[in-house]
Amino acid sequence: MSQDRPPAATARAAAFDYHLFGTHVCFGDGVSALILKELDALGCSRPAILAQDAMMRSAAFEALSACWSGLDHLRLPAVPRHSSVDVVETMAEKVRAFGADSLIAIGGGSVADSAKALALLLAEGGRLADHVTTFEPPATVRIPRRVRPQLPIIGIPTTASGAEATSSFGVRREDGHKLMFWNRRVAAATLLIDPRLSADQPVALLRDSAMNGIAHAVEALYSRGRSPVSDCIAVQAVRLFDAALDSDSLGGHETRGAILQAAHLAGLALSMARSCLHHAICHVVASRQRLSHGAVNSAILPHALAFNEAVAADALRPALDAVNQRAPRPHAALSAWVRGLQQRHAMPARLSALGVPVDALESLARGVMTERGLALNPRPVADATEVLAILRAAF
């Protein structure tokens, strides 16, 4: 580490507990043990529990299961990457038959999105596709009015996706197309962010999901839906990510906790401002190519960010100033800071290295033009050739 840089110890994440707009958020080691207390506060005693298979086989999950051992509960394992329309609709049948009164989502973004989709589908009925958000170029987003009471969600994140903090979610169809949704009622009633639960997560997964978290903060800063509130939270998220990723090793407990804290703030900012071009690209590429969302975020972010910096430099300047306060040499732009993180932590930097074939780029670019994220992008995207240029730069 450069002697000119403040020590990474500043990345330590203190515990906190707050209520905001009906959501209770608790961060700190061991807070996941509050599940029973939170269920009781919600008047619930019959949860359905969602997780991926690896999490359900882990020692951490085994220890956590003691919290609900005295309750009738339904386990819903095998949550797939990017969620799945078929899986969610099958889960809904099981949850209805069981009579669950709440949902507990333990894991990363795919688990969080599955829980949101399940809550919406159980409340509204029909098929998931009946409730999808649609986009009409150049900037019209149509969100179906869906206001029936939903099962409360307790979110327990184990990665830096930040998805547990937003009202937006995506679910993949079998053909690779990702259906996108937004509904204010799917926001979690409780978030228990316990750094100890990330201890078994591979460093590469946490590293890549951190880039997703950074993308949340960056897009919140330049989204046309931004506000002074989302700006403040997003800049603080970038500042915390910069400190957390200062360490050459991301495996330490303190670093993991700091990354999770930064990701939570970034998710809050994005939930207020909403996503733009970068996430539109990542949703299409990751889903259709069956790739990790975090890895694709890492490859795309510096290029999508550079595309928007031409018109959004003023909006991004507070975040750039924040990272330059700690930088041995000032970064000329926030995209340069992102590239530095890629290099330092060997983050995915090329779509080709992830296995995306060059002959898929044009089709992927056309697919992005149907994504709602284009509606709030600060720089209008005229046609698929502009998206294709970004994909080629990231290839």
Side-chain angles (χ1 to χ4, degrees), residues 213-223 226-242 262 264-270 272-273 315-316 318-320 322-323 334 337:
I214 291 171
H216 286 171
V218 168
E219 293 229 291
L221 282 168
Y222 60 49
S223 169
R226 59 191 281 248
S227 70
V229 179
S230 60
D231 284 353
C232 290
I233 297 173
V235 171
Q236 179 65 1
V238 169
R239 183 179 288 112
L240 291 175
F241 271 123
D242 184 51
H264 173 63
L265 293 185
L268 280 181
L270 193 74
M272 298 175 184
L316 294 168
L320 179 61
V323 300
L334 210 58
W337 170 68

Side-chain angles (χ1 to χ4, degrees), residues 6-354:
T10 57
R12 290 185 179 178
F16 58 81
D17 186 314
Y18 72 89
H19 290 79
L20 179 67
F21 306 140
T23 297
H24 178 210
V25 180
C26 195
F27 174 96
D29 288 339
V31 300
S32 56
L34 298 174
I35 291 176
L36 199 61
K37 180 179 178 181
E38 290 301 313
L39 283 170
D40 183 65
L42 294 168
C44 298
S45 59
R46 197 173 174 82
I49 302 160
L50 291 78
Q52 293 183 315
D53 285 339
M55 169 54 69
M56 285 203 175
R57 292 194 300 266
S58 70
F61 185 88
E62 189 62 29
L64 197 56
S65 64
C67 298
W68 57 72
S69 62
L71 300 179
D72 287 333
H73 62 275
L74 173 67
R75 293 192 181 190
L76 298 171
V79 175
R81 179 185 286 178
H82 301 296
S83 189
S84 160
V85 170
D86 289 344
V87 169
V88 169
E89 291 181 345
T90 299
M91 282 181 175
E93 296 174 3
K94 294 179 179 179
V95 173
R96 286 193 188 97
F98 175 72
D101 60 9
S102 52
L103 303 172
I104 300 175
I106 306 172
S110 296
V111 177
D113 280 6
S114 295
K116 296 174 195 177
L118 191 53
L120 179 65
L121 186 60
L122 287 167
E124 300 293 344
R127 308 295 297 271
L128 262 182
D130 299 333
H131 314 298
V132 71
T133 295
T134 59
F135 170 67
E136 297 176 12
T140 300
V141 176
R142 301 191 186 283
I143 302 172
R145 183 175 179 270
R146 301 290 186 265
V147 296
R148 293 178 181 172
Q150 298 177 10
L151 297 185
I153 298 172
I154 296 178
I156 305 178
T158 59
T159 72
S161 79
E164 69 284 344
T166 73
S167 296
S168 176
F169 59 98
V171 183
R172 185 184 182 277
R173 291 191 318 214
E174 284 306 305
D175 63 1
H177 179 73
K178 200 164 195 176
L179 301 180
M180 299 304 299
F181 305 81
W182 190 93
N183 183 271
R184 63 190 299 177
R185 293 172 178 259
V186 301
T190 297
L191 294 177
L192 300 175
I193 309 171
D194 188 343
R196 290 181 182 175
L197 292 183
S198 75
D200 295 334
Q201 296 291 333
V203 170
L205 175 61
L206 190 70
R207 173 201 68 188
D208 295 350
S209 66
M211 192 64 90
N212 184 22
I214 291 171
H216 286 171
V218 168
E219 293 229 291
L221 282 168
Y222 60 49
S223 169
R224 288 169 53 207
R226 59 191 281 248
S227 70
V229 179
S230 60
D231 284 353
C232 290
I233 297 173
V235 171
Q236 179 65 1
V238 169
R239 183 179 288 112
L240 291 175
F241 271 123
D242 184 51
L245 297 171
D246 187 43
S247 172
D248 290 327
S249 171
L250 303 184
H253 178 70
E254 291 292 344
T255 300
R256 286 171 178 262
I259 290 173
L260 289 175
Q261 185 175 109
H264 173 63
L265 293 185
L268 280 181
L270 193 74
S271 72
M272 298 175 184
R274 304 204 210 171
S275 62
C276 304
L277 172 63
H278 167 78
H279 278 87
I281 294 174
C282 293
H283 289 153
V284 172
V285 174
S287 180
R288 298 191 183 186
Q289 294 294 308
R290 298 177 181 269
L291 296 171
S292 160
H293 185 63
V296 173
N297 264 271
S298 179
I300 293 294
L301 183 57
H303 307 285
L305 181 50
F307 176 85
N308 281 319
E309 279 172 332
V311 300
D314 288 345
L316 294 168
R317 186 164 290 112
L320 179 61
D321 290 344
V323 300
N324 278 342
Q325 287 176 358
R326 304 185 71 256
R329 291 176 297 279
H331 302 288
L334 210 58
S335 56
W337 170 68
V338 170
R339 288 189 178 94
L341 292 178
Q342 278 183 333
Q343 295 169 3
R344 180 170 193 164
H345 295 292
M347 293 176 171
R350 292 291 170 191
L351 293 177
S352 53
L354 296 176

